[in-house]
Amino acid sequence: MDQYALDAIERITTRPKEVYDTIAVDPLTPLLGAEVSGLDLAEELTQEQVAEVRRAFLTHHVLVFRDQKITAEDHKRFARHFGELHPVALAPEGSDPFVLDIKTTKESRAVAGNGWHADGTADAEPSLGSMLHILRTPDTGSGGDTLFANMHLAYEILSPAMRAFLDPLTAVHDGLLPWMGQTPPPEYEVPVNEHPVVARHPETGRKLLFVNGAYTSHIPQLSRAESKAVLDMLHDHVARTPLLNCRVRWAPNTLVFWDNRCVQHHATWDYYPHERYGRRVAIRGHRPRA
Ligand code: SIN
């Protein structure tokens, strides 16, 4: 591996271990994700518990909470500790405007999130993060895992020359792309927004790569061929570098909270024709800044 990539990994693996008083935090990999225990999300949390979850979130970016028997109201209450709720786009009539059903059945021909992406990056203000609570896992007993990728590290392991090239660029994110040629409903106002290719995390200031294969259409400062080559290279980099990843194996009543500003995720659809069901609540974010 190149020295700059080793240096980037070493900066993470040698940082002082965080100490927590009210929760236990068990990393999934040295570079991304952690299981958090010691909390019952059906109960109101103390300020200290919330502060420790926030600290673990900024350190590990993907937090996994097991055995959480919670209602949709508990789920929203937990999410509100981190900001206002982000409304669901195209919420069905009569449904909760802040709770998105994530449901796959035998009749499904596509699955939400079955490709590397961050949520809603074509929006002017993509969400801060999402909390997915899975209630039903496939009857196969396994399958339906979600993969996550650390976009801080995706940036940091690029060569210094590539980072300097990408730093001043922007990219257009187009809400029509995930529809893959299908026509969205007429009430959907398709969002199209330009964001920095390299953004800074608003809370830590750490840089991150902010392009993804689901929404990013082009880099306007480059020719069409150059833009395609650079984006293909970056999307391949995310898809083909396993050290960027952690993988969550779900069980019923697992809740995962991911930082949508600095991780991408990919839902694996390896369980057809079996069913999977959960509820997702998202938290409002801000416009990404370079
Ligand atoms: C998504 O939010 O993209 C869905 C993730 C999943 O179903 O695991």
Side-chain angles (χ1 to χ4, degrees):
M1 207 182 297
D2 296 298
Q3 189 58 46
Y4 44 80
L6 292 172
D7 291 344
I9 294 166
E10 184 180 0
R11 276 195 294 278
I12 300 175
T13 58
T14 58
R15 65 190 169 194
K17 198 167 157 29
E18 298 266 347
V19 178
Y20 299 93
D21 294 326
T22 64
I23 55 176
V25 177
D26 183 16
L28 295 179
T29 84
L31 304 174
L32 184 64
E35 293 228 3
V36 175
S37 52
L39 293 181
D40 178 357
L41 302 180
E43 304 285 334
E44 183 53 271
L45 302 185
T46 65
Q47 281 187 0
E48 195 184 2
Q49 286 171 323
V50 173
E52 293 209 323
V53 171
R54 187 189 305 279
R55 185 151 58 85
F57 183 63
L58 294 179
T59 302
H60 298 284
H61 318 305
V62 177
L63 299 182
V64 181
F65 303 82
R66 300 285 185 190
D67 302 320
Q68 298 297 333
K69 296 192 178 63
I70 56 170
T71 63
E73 292 307 312
D74 297 330
H75 190 161
K76 287 188 288 182
R77 185 185 61 239
F78 180 46
R80 281 196 193 97
H81 285 299
F82 304 93
E84 282 176 45
L85 302 187
H86 183 99
V88 173
L90 297 171
E93 185 93 15
S95 67
D96 187 319
F98 298 110
V99 179
L100 174 69
D101 275 338
I102 299 277
K103 184 169 185 178
T104 315
T105 67
K106 189 171 187 309
E107 280 68 49
S108 301
R109 289 297 172 269
V111 165
N114 184 23
W116 283 109
H117 67 290
D119 294 326
T121 61
D123 293 349
E125 298 186 336
S127 66
L128 172 158
S130 287
M131 294 183 175
L132 176 59
H133 185 221
I134 288 288
L135 293 153
R136 175 163 186 187
T137 51
D139 292 339
T140 41
S142 61
D145 294 357
T146 306
L147 282 75
F148 295 88
N150 181 334
M151 302 309 292
H152 288 302
L153 198 55
Y155 173 74
E156 290 162 359
I157 65 174
L158 294 171
S159 66
M162 180 53 69
R163 280 184 266 141
F165 169 71
L166 296 174
D167 275 346
L169 302 179
T170 60
V172 174
H173 295 237
D174 184 343
L176 205 52
L177 286 188
W179 290 85
M180 291 191 277
Q182 290 183 309
T183 310
E187 67 273 22
Y188 182 55
E189 271 186 47
V190 179
V192 179
N193 279 285
E194 201 168 322
H195 296 308
V197 167
V198 177
R200 276 190 193 271
H201 194 285
E203 294 183 70
T204 63
R206 191 171 161 203
K207 287 183 177 182
L208 58 106
L209 190 60
F210 197 73
V211 292
N212 68 84
Y215 287 104
T216 311
S217 62
H218 65 286
I219 296 176
Q221 295 83 11
L222 303 181
S223 73
R224 192 189 297 208
E226 290 165 349
S227 165
K228 181 174 182 327
V230 170
L231 287 176
D232 284 351
M233 183 271 289
L234 294 175
H235 299 154
D236 282 357
H237 172 57
V238 173
R240 295 188 186 167
T241 310
L243 69 85
L244 300 177
N245 299 158
C246 70
R247 180 173 183 127
V248 173
R249 182 172 182 171
W250 298 91
N253 299 313
T254 299
L255 181 143
V256 175
F257 179 22
W258 66 84
D259 192 333
N260 194 50
R261 302 164 294 187
C262 65
V263 298
Q264 290 189 26
H265 56 287
H266 183 318
T268 312
W269 193 18
D270 55 358
Y271 51 90
Y272 181 84
H274 298 278
E275 299 196 352
R276 178 176 181 268
Y277 171 69
R279 296 190 286 244
R280 198 183 82 185
V281 171
I283 300 149
R284 272 185 197 267
H286 297 102
R287 195 167 188 109
R289 299 264 175 236

